[in-house]
Amino acid sequence: MIGDRAGAQGRTRLRASEVRISYWQHRAEEPFVAVDGVSLEVIEGEFVSIVGPSGCGKTTFLNAVDGLIPISGGSLELDGRPVRGPGRDRAMVFQQPSLLPWRSVLRNITYGLELEGRRSRAEIKEAGLRYLSLVGLDGFANVYPGQLSGGMQQRVNLARALATDPEMLLLDEPFASLDAQTREFMQLELLRIWRQSRKTALFITHDIKEAIYLADRVVVFTARPGRVKEVVPVPLPRPRELRVKRDPRFIEIEDRVWNCIEQEAAAAMAGGRSA
Ligand SMILES: Nc1ncnc2c1ncn2[C@@H]1O[C@H](COP(=O)(O)OP(=O)(O)O)[C@@H](O)[C@H]1O
Ligand SMILES: [Mg+2]
């Protein structure tokens, strides 16, 4: 499957093939199947959004890509190698900023670099300041997380994920706890940062406009057990301003994604897809 991103090199970064993920629940006789048969390819530098009904296995899938949980069927490869655990090539951004409150903003950003222990203190500080600047927080290096707004904390979180220079960014509803205006602003910022850092991005959201605005392709998951119902390309030019959300072509894409989701919601309600 080829992405629609102009200029993308076309090298496959992530290849999921018929991925199945189950959880063993206490005293259950059978495993609980959260994801069943997800096939998806993401190419280098591509931005892919995943949407789907609540509980369909989006977070489960992302955690598997991050190497935090094993798959129980199919195959999951990064750059042609099976995912066996977490690695420096990936970084996750969660919904809650999860910053360390006793560390300054700068030292939150450099935490991963300090753990790696491969660079001198001066190099680490310099890298930290660079990422601080990239997320638009120049001047906030010595402030503590508790002194920042939710949007600023989420920027620090993003800077922290970028600081270890991963090849792939995994974002699990990172803007879900922000107010509507901050959220829109963060979307704009994320695209700017993504353009500069050239990462491959896999982004989960409940917000369909957000999914489309950011992505080269929107992947719609079915109700649980999740698999890919449809992949909707977003051939809108970049860079994108927020007003593209009112463009008739955008609205057409939005209709298409909504239709898919509505069918899934109806299927889930009808009980047609309980595992
Ligand atoms: N650690 C776990 N143990 C057992 N079941 C889980 C666990 N995590 C998630 N689940 C179940 O797996 C399904 C998918 O969850 P999740 O991946 O969080 O969905 P989504 O992110 O799409 O809302 C849900 O039914 C959820 O209850
Ligand atoms: Mg989730």
Side-chain angles (χ1 to χ4, degrees):
M1 196 178 296
I2 304 294
D4 300 274
R5 174 148 186 220
Q9 292 93 327
R11 196 158 71 94
T12 301
R13 176 131 280 163
L14 174 73
R15 178 176 283 126
S17 177
E18 295 295 319
V19 167
R20 178 184 174 102
I21 305 166
S22 0
Y23 291 107
W24 278 100
Q25 287 172 330
H26 186 57
R27 290 183 183 222
E29 307 231 314
E30 305 252 300
F32 177 90
V33 182
V35 165
D36 198 5
V38 170
S39 296
L40 175 70
E41 284 185 19
V42 179
I43 59 174
E44 195 174 339
E46 197 181 15
F47 198 121
V48 171
S49 295
I50 299 179
V51 297
S54 190
C56 73
K58 302 180 295 295
T59 295
T60 299
F61 179 69
L62 208 67
N63 282 335
V65 174
D66 200 24
L68 299 174
I69 52 177
I71 60 173
S72 48
S75 68
L76 190 58
E77 291 178 352
L78 274 167
D79 298 317
R81 290 182 298 274
V83 173
R84 296 202 198 283
R88 288 191 48 223
D89 54 343
R90 286 148 287 158
M92 180 86 92
V93 180
F94 298 99
Q95 179 173 340
Q96 296 302 333
S98 62
L99 299 171
L100 301 171
W102 61 87
R103 281 188 157 236
S104 68
V105 161
L106 181 67
R107 297 203 60 224
N108 263 283
I109 295 174
T110 57
Y111 186 55
L113 294 176
E114 287 174 37
L115 288 181
E116 273 174 29
R118 297 186 312 150
R119 304 192 209 183
S120 71
R121 279 175 65 170
E123 282 172 330
I124 288 175
K125 184 172 177 190
E126 195 231 291
L129 289 172
R130 201 152 20 93
Y131 287 102
L132 190 70
S133 179
L134 183 65
V135 297
L137 286 178
D138 278 319
F140 287 89
N142 299 317
V143 165
Y144 285 82
Q147 297 168 271
L148 299 178
S149 70
M152 289 160 97
Q153 288 188 25
Q154 204 46 292
R155 282 161 188 261
V156 177
N157 215 23
L158 197 57
R160 184 177 59 173
L162 290 165
T164 50
D165 200 24
E167 273 137 42
M168 193 161 189
L169 271 183
L170 308 171
L171 307 109
D172 193 357
E173 306 203 36
F175 306 149
S177 60
L178 304 177
D179 64 82
Q181 255 176 4
T182 307
R183 186 170 185 151
E184 294 236 297
F185 184 63
M186 287 296 291
Q187 293 165 8
L188 192 65
E189 284 291 285
L190 177 61
L191 281 191
R192 179 183 62 77
I193 292 163
W194 169 73
R195 228 176 28 247
Q196 289 184 16
S197 64
R198 307 183 146 269
K199 307 293 178 199
T200 309
L202 203 50
F203 185 98
I204 293 178
T205 178
H206 268 106
D207 183 330
I208 294 176
K209 278 185 188 292
E210 177 173 273
I212 297 167
Y213 173 68
L214 296 171
D216 298 306
R217 292 184 294 146
V218 176
V219 174
V220 183
F221 268 29
T222 64
R224 190 185 67 80
R227 57 187 168 74
V228 176
K229 179 179 174 73
E230 194 162 330
V231 179
V232 181
V234 185
L236 301 168
R238 295 185 187 269
R240 294 176 189 163
E241 301 290 333
L242 284 167
R243 65 170 174 273
V244 75
K245 294 181 184 178
R246 298 194 295 272
D247 189 305
R249 289 173 299 170
F250 187 100
I251 293 164
E252 217 172 278
I253 297 167
E254 201 180 344
D255 280 345
R256 199 171 147 196
V257 175
W258 266 116
N259 278 338
C260 280
I261 298 226
E262 271 167 12
Q263 286 169 20
E264 272 322 294
M269 298 264 265
R273 217 184 283 285
S274 53

